[in-house]
Amino acid sequence: MHAQTSDSHGDVNDIVESYYPDIVYDTKNALHWLESGNIVFKAEKCDLGGFEYDDLRSEDEKIKGYVITTEI
């Protein structure tokens, strides 16, 4: 599904925010985990084509970083 957007970045931000309100918070968390070495990508690819990684976050960070999606 592709959303039609106008030339305004504000409109795009509103659309993204309506689908995924915590995107900025979750993205900052992910960047922090990568920069701090809590998530480390390996050179090997996994069976699904992505990269394998070591997840060195605490259990609390893993729980708080988990996003639950629901069908509406």
Side-chain angles (χ1 to χ4, degrees), residues 34-66:
L34 291 168
E35 290 171 348
S36 65
N38 287 333
I39 294 179
V40 180
F41 286 99
K42 299 178 181 183
E44 303 88 27
K45 286 191 174 187
C46 69
D47 293 337
L48 299 175
F51 287 93
E52 292 189 20
Y53 61 93
D54 290 327
D55 189 344
L56 307 173
R57 296 176 295 163
S58 69
E59 288 302 316
D60 190 45
E61 286 176 310
K62 290 178 186 179
I63 292 169
K64 288 181 182 176
Y66 186 74

Side-chain angles (χ1 to χ4, degrees), residues 19 66-71:
Y19 284 103
Y66 186 74
V67 178
I68 298 172
T69 58
T70 57
E71 296 287 327

Side-chain angles (χ1 to χ4, degrees), residues 17-36:
E17 181 73 18
S18 71
Y19 284 103
Y20 190 170
D22 293 330
I23 193 167
V24 172
Y25 175 79
D26 290 340
T27 302
K28 286 180 180 180
N29 276 337
L31 286 173
H32 169 74
W33 295 325
L34 291 168
E35 290 171 348
S36 65

